[in-house]
Structure formats: structure tokens, C-alpha cells
Amino acid sequence: MCGIVAYVGPRDAVPILTEGLARLEYRGYDSAGIAVVGRSGDLRVRKSRMRVAELAADLPARFKGGPGIGHTRWATHGEPSDVNAHPHVSGSVALVHNGIIENADELRAKLEADGVVFASETDSEVLAHLIGRSAATELEDAVRQALSQVVGTYGIAVVDTRHPGLLVAARNGSPVVLGIGQKEMFAASDVAALVRYTRQVVHLDDGELATVRADGFRTSTLDARTTRKEPSVIEADDAAYDAEGYAHFMRKEIHEQPAAVERALRGRLDGRFHTAHLGGLALDPREAREIRRVKVLGCGSAYYAGQVGAQLIEELARIPADAEPASEFRYRNPVVEADTLYVAVSQSGETYDTLAAVQELRRKGGRVLGVVNAVGSAIARECDGGVYLHAGPEIAVASTKAYTSTSVVFALLALHLGRIHDLSPADGRRIAEGLRALPGQITEILDQEDRIAGLAREFADYRSMLFIGRVRGWPVAREGAQKLKEVSYVHAEAYPASELKHGPLALIGPELPALAIIPDDELLDKNLSTLGEIRARHGRVLTLGHRALGDDAIVIPKNERELDPILLPIALQLFAYHAAVALGHDVDKPRNLAKSVTVE
Ligand code: F6R
């Protein structure tokens, strides 16, 4: 799996494919390749462990043609190598594949018994042979027959020299989006590869297949029923996919947060009734009143932002709310309640576990809202309604602006539900004013970057760090520890401050520093006594809050206390980023991690 790009049209496909692949590099990969149908009807393939730019530079001048497909691979089946790189070829057919074919071993054995000689160790090559050996006269039918034999997930693009005017793409669990140009068409696993050429896109659904020609496309299900698709328009422009002078996308995205939060708020605050309007909720006030519980689902940082959201909803709307990892929820045969509002959170909108949780909920009749960044993504389409973040594309693997925008959208949702329930107009106004102040206050935190970077450099020398927070500070501690682990590889553990005495206090000593989240709220005294307990054991503490509580302190501006969990993590993002830079790591592409986890 990793990135797919494909082109059919009058132009030479090669530069379009290599530029598209370069746009997908941010997802990480270990090898890359392209295949085009040559002008004389031959199949031209180049693939290797090279970087995309090297592959492009290495192509002979006569390597031209179209339609074509390209791929960046991140090894799952078979080591990273030239032969395991995609495209995979079978006769006149070349294929690129994202996902995992679960019954590949069985299919491979059958094909080998029929005399097929495999060139690679990949599960994807099985699919290439199933298509290449099909007796069907149309490529679409050959692909359909092959897909009916596989169990697993796929996003694929296929070309066949016998059908030089078209390509076929299909999706099941791994994204594929078509790009509509002027008498030319594109396909890719991510709109990042398309935005330079077109803003008009069509997202394929799971179990859907597309035959794509220069002048249009036709979509159908695996059992050959035609489907109708409405094109949507990509919000972001090409610059959003460019680091624009920043050393890393992560730093760029941290600095984009004042603007991202402004976009999340734009047009959504109602000054007359001191509430929030969220257009896509599909929930009228009467239905909103009948909600007895809110359950938020997401993975990783999306789950932590969901915990912030659940706390905000419980606090402002007084509806019992909690968050749970979507990956756990979907496996535990959850009880689905009719008067519970389920909220699925995802930046990419493609995280497999979150999507599977949504599908399970819908199957059982649950009502699910999406809080999603990627417009038109699988999770957004699968939900009953939802709210987009409008954070713009997030390229760095570590989530920053999407995390913050998710918390802001939850504050809007909590305000909306709160004002339908018992939140007073005065409190509604107070929260709305607090929200309006966020972009400026985020800028104030970003202005402290040099000082936070200095602290990060010092603390990066420790092997481990404890992050503690209480109630609103608890998801902040979890997100702070997550960011530090992900990009700096410094071990970090988050604990509720209230739990310290029940175990982890045993760890405290000069060798384990703590980062304590201590906002000036109603729990300040409790947090100060925890701070005393740590210091009494000679533990070094870096505090984060609204006042300096020692030499090592990060002080952020004060807003309404309910909104503290939106501002506090910004400082922790800068802390993690600069720790990672100090340790010389590949900040945007941490080892072993992918930007969107479209596999189980
Ligand atoms: C952390 C991070 C991951 C994602 C998680 C969910 O910085 O990026 O933990 O938050 O994989 O991804 P989405 O939000 O795309 O569903």
C-alpha cells in the first residue's frame, strides 16, 4: 500500500504520474514505479527502490505514453525491493494496488499450479495475474471477475495494452478518487496528487469500479449495476500541498492553526441566540433534545480530540458523553442505543477502524455524525450528517491543525446542544466570545516558539517523560505524550494526575521528568498538591498553564476554562516538534507510521 496515481488523456502520462507520485511522497514509501501504454501499443514499466525524483530522472527520453499508472509502495507483503515495487505485470496488463489481499497465498498456489510464474513476493501480483489471464473481452469485466475472487482491501488502477484508450480503477477499503479534467481524466488514492490538474473529483465507494476514458467515466458495482456519482470540488489549492519555505510540514501546519480555527468558526456562531449553527448536522432541535447520551469514536489523536469533545458536550450540554477508540468499539459487539448520538472523528476520513465502527453502527440502526476534515471521504459519506473541519490538507503524519480544529468543532457542537438544553444565553455568549478569541491566543502561543524550543531541546535528553493532567487536562496530557512519542521517539506516558498516587508515583525521581498540565481552573489547588508530591521526590517538572509555577514553565493566555483543552496542546505540539528536530528525526514521516491507516 501507499500511493496511486493514474492518467488517461491526450498528454504524455509520464510527467503527470511522476509529479503526482511526488505529491504523495509525504505518506512515506520504500519504492516507486510507473507503467504506460507506449505509442506503439507496448507496455513500458519502470520501478525500483529509488526516490520518485530519481526514478523520473532515470527514465529514457523515449519512455513516453498513456494511459498510465504510478505507485509509491510501503511494503506489507514482501520486502522493499525493485521486483516487489508496483506496477505488477501480467501479459498486456499492469496494475497498482493499495491494501491487502487476505487470501493471496491460496490464490497464488492455484495460479502456480496453473503454471503462472510469479516475479515478486507481493499479494498484489496475484491480482495482476487474475486480471491478465481473464478470458473476458472488456478490461472492466476482467477486473470485476478478478475482484470477485479476492478477499481483502484494495484500491487499484489497471491499464491493458489491448485497451489503449482507458484505465480501470476500483475501491474496497482503500481510497480511490477520480479527477475530471478537460478531455482528460485522472485517478489517485489521495486528492493531493490531482489538485495541480483539477479540482473536480469523484470519490469511489467501497465495492465500486470505474472505467475511465479521456472524455469521461462510468461507475458500477462489483455485480455490474451502474452507479451514479456527483462530482465535488476540492477546497484546497496546490499551495496547500507545498511546505512553502517551512523546514517541515508539521511546523507549517502548527503555524496554520490561527487560520484553520478561523475557518472552523466561520459563519457558525450566532450572535443573536448565542449558539452555534452547524449546517450538516441533520438533527432538528426536537431530535437534539431527545439525545440521552453521546459517544465519540476515533483513533489515536482523533480519539483524544474526541475525549475533549465528549467533555465539552457533557460540561456545556449536560448530556452524558464519553469517547472510546473506534478500533476497540467495533470489536466488542457494542450495545447500540436509539437515543445515543454517535460521533465519528477522523482527519483523513479513511481510517479503516473508524469507518468499520461507523458501518457497524449504521447496520444496527445507530445515528452517526462525522467530524471529518477530508471532504467527500469514506467516513464523511457513510455518516448520517456531520461537520467538516475545513482545516485544509494535513500532510505531516502527526496531526496538529486537524486535532485543534476538531476540538473547536466539538466546542461548537457542545454550544449548539447546550443552548438547546439548559446552557444559559449568558454562558452561550461567554463560550462564543471565548471561541472568537482563540485564533489570536493561538498566535500568542506560537510567538513563544523559541522559548518552547529551548525547553524541548533540554528535555529531549531524557529517555522518558510523564505527562499528567486532571479532568480537562487529562486528554491534553494524552495528546501531548502522543505527539512527543510519535515524532521524537522519546518514551512518554500520560496519566491522570489523580491516579499518580495509585502507581506511577513509584517512578518519580530525578531521571523521570514530568510535564504537568496545570491551568488556573477550579482544580488548581489539587494540581498544586500533585506538583508538590512530585517535587518532594526530586522529580523535575515542566508546567504548562496560566502562570509560571517554577523555572521550567510554559505560560499560555487565559480563555474560558472550558476551552483550555483547545489552547494547551498547541504548546505541546511545538514542544514535540522541537524535541524531534533536536534529535534529528524525520519529523514529517516518523518511522513505522502512515498518515492514514486504511488497513486493519
Ligand atoms: C497522531 C495521528 C494519528 C491519527 C489517527 C487517526 O498524530 O496522526 O494518531 O490521529 O491515525 O487518523 P484520522 O484522524 O485520519 O482518522
Side-chain angles (χ1 to χ4, degrees):
M1 62 172 222
C2 217
I4 288 178
V5 56
Y7 173 80
V8 54
R11 291 195 263 174
D12 174 22
V14 175
I16 294 168
L17 298 177
T18 52
E19 273 170 27
L21 291 180
R23 282 288 186 225
L24 300 180
E25 281 191 304
Y26 76 91
R27 289 168 165 266
Y29 66 106
D30 51 53
S31 52
I34 60 172
V36 294
V37 178
R39 296 283 181 241
S40 49
D42 54 325
L43 190 62
R44 300 179 180 183
V45 184
R46 275 290 195 288
K47 55 182 191 166
S48 83
R49 288 206 62 179
M50 291 179 202
R51 309 306 293 166
V52 172
E54 291 164 0
L55 180 89
D58 203 50
L59 294 171
R62 63 183 183 286
F63 194 102
K64 287 188 163 64
I69 53 178
H71 192 256
T72 46
R73 173 174 188 252
W74 190 349
T76 52
H77 281 56
E79 58 169 16
S81 69
D82 292 357
V83 281
N84 287 342
H86 297 215
H88 292 287
V89 174
S90 174
S92 58
V93 164
L95 160 139
V96 290
H97 167 229
N98 282 348
I100 294 175
I101 307 298
E102 287 163 23
N103 60 341
D105 290 347
E106 188 190 314
L107 293 169
R108 175 185 271 258
K110 273 196 207 149
L111 286 162
E112 279 175 342
D114 284 350
V116 173
V117 178
F118 277 78
S120 78
E121 301 155 3
T122 63
D123 55 340
S124 311
E125 193 184 346
V126 167
L127 206 41
H129 289 303
L130 290 175
I131 299 168
R133 289 165 57 84
S134 165
T137 44
E138 295 303 324
L139 180 59
E140 179 178 317
D141 295 330
V143 172
R144 188 174 277 118
Q145 282 168 12
L147 293 178
S148 69
Q149 297 176 60
V150 305
V151 177
T153 55
Y154 50 78
I156 58 168
V158 187
V159 290
D160 184 341
T161 56
R162 290 171 302 179
H163 303 282
L166 59 90
L167 60 90
V168 173
R171 152 176 188 139
N172 187 43
S174 205
V176 176
V177 50
L178 308 181
I180 304 170
Q182 295 290 331
K183 300 225 169 17
E184 59 183 355
M185 288 284 299
F186 308 81
S189 53
D190 180 331
V191 292
L194 307 179
V195 71
R196 173 168 294 192
Y197 306 106
T198 178
R199 309 273 286 272
Q200 270 224 313
V201 296
V202 165
H203 295 267
L204 293 192
D205 284 311
D206 277 348
E208 211 169 28
L209 196 137
T211 296
V212 188
R213 299 172 196 272
D215 57 358
F217 64 96
R218 192 182 91 84
T219 53
S220 57
T221 57
L222 281 186
D223 51 6
R225 279 177 294 117
T226 301
T227 53
R228 280 178 54 81
K229 309 294 289 184
E230 283 300 325
S232 53
V233 178
I234 308 172
E235 286 178 350
D237 58 11
D238 202 29
Y241 296 90
D242 201 289
E244 291 181 310
Y246 285 91
H248 299 102
F249 279 103
M250 183 175 173
R251 182 158 181 263
K252 177 187 178 213
E253 287 159 8
I254 290 173
H255 281 268
E256 280 174 349
Q257 291 180 112
V261 169
E262 250 163 43
R263 283 197 299 276
L265 294 174
R266 191 168 300 149
R268 288 173 167 170
L269 285 170
D270 174 331
R272 182 167 171 222
F273 293 106
H274 310 301
T275 184
H277 287 306
L278 297 164
L281 277 193
L283 195 69
D284 68 36
R286 197 157 297 167
E287 290 171 310
R289 286 203 69 81
E290 281 161 14
I291 298 166
R292 291 286 159 266
R293 191 186 299 279
V294 177
K295 172 75 129 184
V296 186
L297 300 163
C299 295
S301 290
Y303 158 54
Y304 299 141
Q307 195 186 354
V308 169
Q311 289 187 348
L312 277 160
I313 290 169
E314 191 155 308
E315 194 165 11
L316 297 180
R318 305 306 296 153
I319 303 172
D322 73 333
E324 182 177 342
S327 42
E328 288 291 309
F329 178 84
R330 61 176 285 229
Y331 283 118
R332 65 172 178 82
N333 192 21
V335 175
V336 174
E337 296 161 310
D339 51 8
T340 295
L341 175 66
Y342 295 89
V343 186
V345 182
S346 179
Q347 185 287 124
S348 62
E350 302 289 348
T351 299
Y352 191 80
D353 280 321
T354 311
L355 179 61
V358 173
Q359 287 167 339
E360 176 70 356
L361 278 166
R362 298 287 311 274
R363 190 184 66 74
K364 289 183 168 176
R367 180 199 284 271
V368 197
L369 292 183
V371 173
V372 172
N373 193 32
V375 176
S377 56
I379 294 170
R381 282 176 290 137
E382 197 78 33
C383 289
D384 294 289
V387 189
Y388 281 121
L389 304 182
H390 300 304
E394 193 177 66
I395 307 293
V397 163
S399 185
T400 54
K401 61 176 179 172
Y403 174 90
T404 302
S405 295
T406 302
S407 313
V408 171
V409 162
F410 269 111
L412 291 167
L413 180 61
L415 176 60
H416 172 79
L417 294 174
R419 290 288 296 120
I420 288 173
H421 284 76
D422 297 324
L423 190 74
S424 69
D427 277 333
R429 181 202 294 252
R430 183 174 65 77
I431 296 297
E433 280 171 7
L435 286 167
R436 285 194 190 94
L438 286 173
Q441 292 185 324
I442 294 173
T443 305
E444 285 177 48
I445 300 172
L446 298 177
D447 288 345
Q448 297 185 53
E449 181 166 10
D450 288 347
R451 190 180 137 59
I452 296 172
L455 287 163
R457 280 192 288 274
E458 268 184 59
F459 280 82
D461 288 337
Y462 288 94
R463 293 188 47 191
S464 187
M465 260 185 108
L466 190 63
F467 282 66
I468 54 168
R470 201 180 292 264
V471 187
R472 296 187 204 99
W474 164 224
V476 176
R478 298 177 94 185
E479 173 59 8
Q482 159 100 335
K483 285 285 92 80
L484 187 66
K485 281 189 274 224
E486 267 183 307
V487 296
S488 77
Y489 317 149
V490 172
H491 172 254
E493 185 169 355
Y495 243 92
S498 51
E499 281 284 297
L500 213 57
K501 285 199 210 63
H502 301 289
L505 204 54
L507 292 171
I508 300 293
E511 65 291 343
L512 180 73
L515 196 149
I517 319 290
I518 310 191
D520 271 13
D521 61 9
E522 71 281 15
L523 298 168
L524 180 64
D525 289 345
K526 291 261 170 275
N527 281 323
L528 290 178
S529 64
T530 306
L531 187 62
E533 278 164 7
I534 300 174
R535 287 198 170 134
R537 285 157 185 86
H538 307 291
R540 184 170 176 191
V541 191
L542 169 57
T543 64
L544 169 61
H546 300 113
R547 58 174 92 176
L549 294 165
D551 292 341
D552 295 329
I554 303 171
V555 178
I556 66 155
K558 187 115 187 62
N559 194 310
E560 298 304 325
R561 62 188 176 193
E562 293 90 338
L563 305 181
D564 285 343
I566 301 177
L567 286 174
L568 290 161
I570 311 280
L572 300 180
Q573 296 166 353
L574 288 170
F575 184 79
Y577 171 78
H578 285 286
V581 170
L583 294 169
H585 296 312
D586 186 351
V587 184
D588 285 338
K589 291 184 230 106
R591 66 185 179 202
N592 309 335
L593 297 179
K595 180 63 184 161
S596 85
V597 184
T598 53
V599 290
E600 277 184 273

Short mmCIF file of all heavy atoms in Angstrom, two decimals, residues 299-302 345-349 351 397-399 482-483 486 597, ligand 1:
data_model
loop_
_atom_site.label_atom_id
_atom_site.label_comp_id
_atom_site.label_asym_id
_atom_site.label_seq_id
_atom_site.Cartn_x
_atom_site.Cartn_y
_atom_site.Cartn_z
N CYS A 299 -9.62 7.24 16.32
CA CYS A 299 -8.38 6.52 16.63
C CYS A 299 -7.27 7.54 16.90
O CYS A 299 -7.23 8.60 16.28
CB CYS A 299 -7.96 5.65 15.46
SG CYS A 299 -9.13 4.34 15.12
N GLY A 300 -6.34 7.18 17.78
CA GLY A 300 -5.15 8.00 18.02
C GLY A 300 -5.53 9.40 18.46
O GLY A 300 -6.37 9.61 19.35
N SER A 301 -4.93 10.39 17.81
CA SER A 301 -5.18 11.78 18.19
C SER A 301 -6.64 12.16 17.95
O SER A 301 -7.18 13.01 18.67
CB SER A 301 -4.27 12.72 17.40
OG SER A 301 -2.95 12.55 17.86
N ALA A 302 -7.27 11.55 16.96
CA ALA A 302 -8.70 11.83 16.72
C ALA A 302 -9.51 11.39 17.93
O ALA A 302 -10.49 12.05 18.32
CB ALA A 302 -9.17 11.12 15.46
N VAL A 345 -14.88 10.64 14.52
CA VAL A 345 -13.90 11.71 14.28
C VAL A 345 -12.77 11.18 13.40
O VAL A 345 -12.20 10.13 13.71
CB VAL A 345 -13.28 12.18 15.61
CG1 VAL A 345 -12.30 13.32 15.37
CG2 VAL A 345 -14.36 12.61 16.58
N SER A 346 -12.45 11.90 12.34
CA SER A 346 -11.32 11.48 11.51
C SER A 346 -10.82 12.63 10.65
O SER A 346 -11.60 13.28 9.97
CB SER A 346 -11.74 10.32 10.62
OG SER A 346 -10.68 9.92 9.80
N GLN A 347 -9.53 12.84 10.67
CA GLN A 347 -8.93 13.84 9.79
C GLN A 347 -9.03 13.36 8.35
O GLN A 347 -9.56 14.05 7.49
CB GLN A 347 -7.46 14.05 10.17
CG GLN A 347 -6.71 15.15 9.43
CD GLN A 347 -6.35 14.85 8.00
OE1 GLN A 347 -6.72 15.62 7.09
NE2 GLN A 347 -5.72 13.74 7.73
N SER A 348 -8.53 12.15 8.10
CA SER A 348 -8.46 11.64 6.72
C SER A 348 -9.82 11.21 6.20
O SER A 348 -10.06 11.20 4.99
CB SER A 348 -7.52 10.44 6.66
OG SER A 348 -8.04 9.39 7.49
N GLY A 349 -10.69 10.80 7.13
CA GLY A 349 -11.98 10.23 6.71
C GLY A 349 -11.84 8.85 6.11
O GLY A 349 -12.80 8.31 5.55
N THR A 351 -9.75 6.28 7.86
CA THR A 351 -9.19 5.32 8.83
C THR A 351 -10.10 4.10 8.91
O THR A 351 -11.29 4.21 9.21
CB THR A 351 -9.05 6.00 10.20
OG1 THR A 351 -8.14 7.09 10.03
CG2 THR A 351 -8.51 5.05 11.25
N VAL A 397 2.59 13.52 9.17
CA VAL A 397 1.91 12.36 9.77
C VAL A 397 1.29 12.74 11.12
O VAL A 397 0.16 12.36 11.42
CB VAL A 397 2.90 11.18 9.91
CG1 VAL A 397 2.38 10.14 10.87
CG2 VAL A 397 3.12 10.53 8.54
N ALA A 398 2.02 13.49 11.92
CA ALA A 398 1.49 13.87 13.24
C ALA A 398 0.40 14.92 13.06
O ALA A 398 0.61 15.96 12.43
CB ALA A 398 2.60 14.41 14.11
N SER A 399 -0.74 14.65 13.62
CA SER A 399 -1.86 15.57 13.46
C SER A 399 -1.69 16.78 14.39
O SER A 399 -1.41 16.63 15.58
CB SER A 399 -3.15 14.83 13.82
OG SER A 399 -4.24 15.66 13.57
N GLN A 482 1.38 11.63 23.19
CA GLN A 482 1.29 11.01 21.86
C GLN A 482 2.17 11.74 20.86
O GLN A 482 2.93 11.15 20.11
CB GLN A 482 -0.19 11.06 21.42
CG GLN A 482 -0.43 10.94 19.95
CD GLN A 482 -0.84 9.53 19.54
OE1 GLN A 482 -0.51 8.56 20.22
NE2 GLN A 482 -1.54 9.41 18.46
N LYS A 483 2.10 13.09 20.86
CA LYS A 483 2.89 13.88 19.91
C LYS A 483 4.38 13.63 20.15
O LYS A 483 5.14 13.45 19.21
CB LYS A 483 2.63 15.38 20.05
CG LYS A 483 1.35 15.92 19.51
CD LYS A 483 1.28 16.05 18.01
CE LYS A 483 0.70 14.81 17.38
NZ LYS A 483 -0.74 14.67 17.41
N GLU A 486 5.45 10.07 19.01
CA GLU A 486 5.38 9.89 17.56
C GLU A 486 6.56 10.48 16.82
O GLU A 486 7.11 9.85 15.94
CB GLU A 486 4.15 10.65 17.03
CG GLU A 486 2.93 9.87 16.90
CD GLU A 486 1.84 10.73 16.31
OE1 GLU A 486 1.57 11.85 16.82
OE2 GLU A 486 1.27 10.32 15.33
N VAL A 597 -4.45 5.35 8.06
CA VAL A 597 -4.31 3.91 8.29
C VAL A 597 -5.55 3.23 7.71
O VAL A 597 -6.56 3.06 8.38
CB VAL A 597 -4.14 3.63 9.80
CG1 VAL A 597 -3.89 2.16 10.04
CG2 VAL A 597 -2.98 4.45 10.36
C1 F6R B 1 -1.40 11.27 15.59
C2 F6R B 1 -2.05 10.81 14.41
C3 F6R B 1 -2.86 9.55 14.46
C4 F6R B 1 -4.22 9.83 13.82
C5 F6R B 1 -5.04 8.54 13.73
C6 F6R B 1 -6.42 8.78 13.17
O1 F6R B 1 -0.71 12.44 15.41
O2 F6R B 1 -1.97 11.45 13.42
O3 F6R B 1 -2.99 9.06 15.76
O4 F6R B 1 -4.87 10.80 14.60
O5 F6R B 1 -4.37 7.59 12.94
O6 F6R B 1 -6.36 9.32 11.88
P1 F6R B 1 -7.61 10.03 11.23
O7 F6R B 1 -7.88 11.25 12.02
O8 F6R B 1 -7.21 10.30 9.83
O9 F6R B 1 -8.77 9.05 11.33
#
